[in-house]
């Protein structure tokens, strides 16, 4: 039986939507032959700027900005409470926040207008969903129950309904059902930490700066928002995080002020508090015949470097490049030998970033012992070495490594 559609993208989050859009633009596959499946499809007709504030935010890199431009979604993202940040201010708990031992990375040193943009998850999803609808990409409200390999397609079952596609893309997050149904195993590790997120008003202006303090038992980041407030990501041992999650607001703020060492003066909690358990994940394989994983379905990293969404968008762009090349060579869209090119490309890049983030967590955020002390004492030296700073910032902005076409 012939496939009803060419591509089924399972997961209507930002990474799944970007994957669908990039495939349509890069490969020439008709939009009507691409369908995005999810239990909850983003509603149509509601501008991103009108959405309620979402406490989950992303620090989008320059590479991600370029990918979102290629998706025809950047204008709506940047116009809906997005906050460019021009500096990163990083310091360890052993040194004062405003002394000469803090690391400061400035966009002006790179000849860039900013280092990235803070954007809400809901805004990003809404902008990409609107772009997908403009392009003519289809949506199906469905929860996939089973996946069956056929000779020329994959059969997906959702309740009593069945769909067929030549290629299925799992963009359904860390608990990916597609990854499980396709038999793609994972390696996992628990950081023993939980991240708390909330919105905070600060006495001093954030100065369009992303602030981060390595605490010795975790990490605290203040991300600048367009209205002058900050979004915090406070990664702590789980027991302490659970206690602070339910503590009275005044007690929560006192602990927050202590951990932030007064960097932005007095603080005020202006939202609810949410928690996210932290763990790492890597799929043993990103692909099998007619199935590919992108984003958190393939890999999950610690949030301390703010790279999760950026890595997922690079996955989407790389997969589009590989499939465009394969189709030009007259290969089958779901051929495993073509999909393996994507796996080799993105696994090496993702594992490099994951190893670097784990090293930061192990040696700077929670480090003890002589090696960690040596690394912590060496932080100020990076700030005095222009070449080292440039290498660090290029990687953080997504301008280093093997870049897909949409990210260049």
């Amino acid at each position: 039986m012939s496939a009803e559609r060419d591509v089924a993208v399972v997961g209507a989050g930002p990474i799944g939507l970007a994957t669908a859009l990039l495939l349509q633009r890069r490969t020439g596959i008709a939009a009507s032959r691409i369908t995005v499946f999810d239990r909850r499809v983003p509603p149509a007709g509601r501008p991103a700027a009108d959405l309620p504030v979402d406490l989950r935010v992303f620090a989008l890199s320059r590479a991600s900005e370029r990918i979102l431009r290629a998706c025809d979604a950047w204008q709506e993202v940047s116009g809906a409470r997005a906050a460019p940040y021009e500096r990163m201010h990083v310091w360890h708990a052993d040194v004062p926040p405003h002394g000469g031992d803090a690391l400061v990375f400035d966009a002006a040193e790179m000849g860039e207008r900013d280092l990235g943009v803070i954007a809400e998850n809901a805004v990003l999803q809404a902008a990409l969903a609107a772009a997908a609808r403009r392009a003519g990409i289809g949506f199906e409200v469905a929860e996939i129950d089973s996946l069956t390999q056929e000779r020329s397609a994959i059969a997906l079952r959702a309740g009593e309904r069945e769909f067929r596609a030549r290629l299925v893309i799992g963009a359904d997050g860390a608990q990916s059902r597609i990854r499980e149904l396709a038999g793609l195993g994972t390696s996992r590790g628990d950081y023993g930490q939980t991240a708390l997120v909330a919105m905070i008003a600060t006495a001093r202006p954030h100065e369009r700066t992303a602030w981060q303090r390595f605490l010795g038992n975790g990490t605290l980041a203040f991300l600048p928002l367009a209205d002058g407030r900050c979004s915090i990501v406070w990664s702590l041992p789980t027991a302490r995080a659970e206690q602070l999650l339910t503590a009275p607001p005044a007690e929560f703020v006192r602990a927050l002020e202590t951990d932030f060492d007064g960097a932005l003066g007095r603080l005020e909690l202006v939202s609810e508090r949410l928690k996210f358990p932290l763990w790492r994940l890597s799929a043993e394989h990103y692909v099998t015949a007619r199935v590919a994983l992108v984003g958190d379905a393939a890999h999950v990293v610690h949030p301390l470097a703010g790279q999760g969404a950026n890595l997922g968008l690079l996955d989407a762009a790389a997969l589009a490049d590989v499939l465009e090349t394969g189709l030009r060579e007259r290969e089958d869209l779901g051929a495993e030998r073509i999909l393996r090119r994507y796996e080799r490309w993105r696994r090496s890049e993702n594992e490099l970033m994951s190893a670097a983030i784990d090293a930061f967590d192990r040696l700077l955020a929670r480090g003890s012992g002589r090696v960690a002390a040596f690394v912590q004492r060496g932080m100020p030296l990076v700030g005095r070495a222009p070449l080292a700073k440039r290498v660090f910032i290029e990687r953080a902005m997504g301008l280093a490594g093997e870049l897909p076409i949409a990210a260049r």
Side-chain angles (χ1 to χ4, degrees):
M1 183 180 294
S2 62
E4 295 177 3
R5 49 190 49 76
D6 287 328
V7 180
V9 178
V10 182
I15 307 307
L17 293 166
T19 303
L21 282 159
L22 291 167
L23 287 180
Q24 184 261 327
R25 283 161 168 74
R26 292 281 294 127
T27 66
I29 297 172
S32 60
R33 303 287 296 171
I34 302 173
T35 303
V36 178
F37 294 80
D38 205 310
R39 289 175 295 176
R40 291 182 295 275
V41 169
R46 188 171 187 183
D50 294 342
L51 294 170
V53 173
D54 189 348
L55 292 182
R56 186 181 180 191
V57 303
F58 301 128
L60 298 174
S61 68
R62 179 71 76 250
S64 291
E65 175 187 333
R66 293 170 179 169
I67 291 169
L68 293 169
R69 287 184 186 278
C71 292
D72 190 30
W74 180 251
Q75 185 173 354
E76 188 169 3
V77 171
S78 62
R81 301 190 297 265
Y85 61 98
E86 299 167 1
R87 285 167 294 279
M88 294 173 59
H89 191 110
V90 183
W91 74 104
H92 192 269
D94 290 341
V95 302
H98 298 292
D101 287 338
L103 279 176
V104 179
F105 302 96
D106 197 311
E109 298 175 357
M110 295 286 294
E112 296 281 349
R113 67 181 184 277
D114 56 55
L115 297 178
V117 173
I118 306 300
E120 299 164 33
N121 173 69
V123 165
L124 190 56
Q125 183 182 30
L128 286 162
R133 289 190 169 96
R134 287 194 301 271
I137 291 168
F139 288 84
E140 283 281 353
V141 178
E143 184 171 2
I144 304 303
D145 300 319
S146 69
L147 178 157
T148 304
Q149 291 272 359
E150 298 178 349
R151 186 180 65 82
S152 59
I154 283 186
L156 299 171
R157 181 168 289 279
E160 297 301 314
R161 296 184 294 164
E162 189 170 271
F163 309 90
R164 283 176 171 77
R166 294 170 61 202
L167 174 65
V168 174
I169 298 171
D172 48 344
Q175 306 291 345
S176 173
R177 179 68 169 151
I178 293 302
R179 185 183 66 223
E180 177 186 353
L181 291 172
L184 296 170
T186 61
S187 60
R188 301 170 183 253
D190 189 344
Y191 286 107
Q193 294 178 305
T194 294
L196 302 180
V197 300
M199 288 181 59
I200 302 294
T202 62
R204 295 172 53 183
H206 56 54
E207 301 174 349
R208 288 194 170 194
T209 298
W211 304 77
Q212 185 166 32
R213 189 184 192 213
F214 294 117
L215 303 172
N217 67 346
T219 311
L220 174 57
F222 273 58
L223 305 177
L225 300 177
D227 63 4
R229 296 182 289 186
C230 289
S231 172
I232 66 162
V233 183
W234 197 3
S235 302
L236 295 164
T238 294
R240 185 176 183 228
E242 292 287 354
Q243 184 269 323
L244 288 169
L245 183 70
T246 56
E251 180 182 335
F252 177 87
V253 168
R254 282 195 299 272
L256 184 63
E257 289 177 339
T258 297
D259 272 11
F260 203 48
D261 200 18
L264 293 176
R266 296 293 299 274
L267 307 177
E268 179 186 359
L269 177 66
V270 292
S271 75
E272 63 178 325
R273 289 161 273 179
L274 300 179
K275 68 173 183 177
F276 297 94
L278 300 184
W279 42 285
R280 73 176 69 83
L281 176 146
S282 179
E284 293 174 1
H285 292 287
Y286 288 11
V287 304
T288 187
R290 302 196 179 280
V291 177
L293 305 177
V294 294
D296 284 358
H299 47 80
V300 176
V301 299
H302 196 289
L304 69 84
Q307 290 299 311
N310 295 318
L311 295 176
L313 288 170
L314 287 167
D315 288 348
L319 181 58
D321 282 4
V322 166
L323 292 176
E324 188 275 334
T325 300
L327 290 174
R328 190 158 24 90
E329 295 170 352
R330 307 182 68 83
E331 291 280 4
D332 188 308
L333 180 63
E336 188 171 358
R337 61 183 174 276
I338 300 300
L339 297 177
R340 290 289 175 201
R341 297 177 188 173
Y342 158 73
E343 178 180 69
R344 289 192 295 271
W345 179 357
R346 290 306 302 157
R347 178 183 288 282
S348 62
E349 293 286 335
N350 291 331
E351 289 186 349
L352 177 63
M353 181 61 75
S354 180
I357 292 170
D358 280 357
F360 290 151
D361 177 59
R362 187 174 63 255
L363 298 173
L364 294 174
R366 296 189 289 169
S368 61
R370 286 187 295 179
V371 174
F374 175 79
V375 173
Q376 292 158 18
R377 287 196 299 270
M379 281 183 63
L381 300 178
V382 175
R384 301 176 189 123
L387 180 58
K389 289 179 74 173
R390 175 171 287 275
V391 169
F392 181 91
I393 289 299
E394 284 181 348
R395 179 61 67 171
M397 294 179 70
L399 303 179
E402 185 180 0
L403 296 178
I405 290 172
R408 297 174 191 167

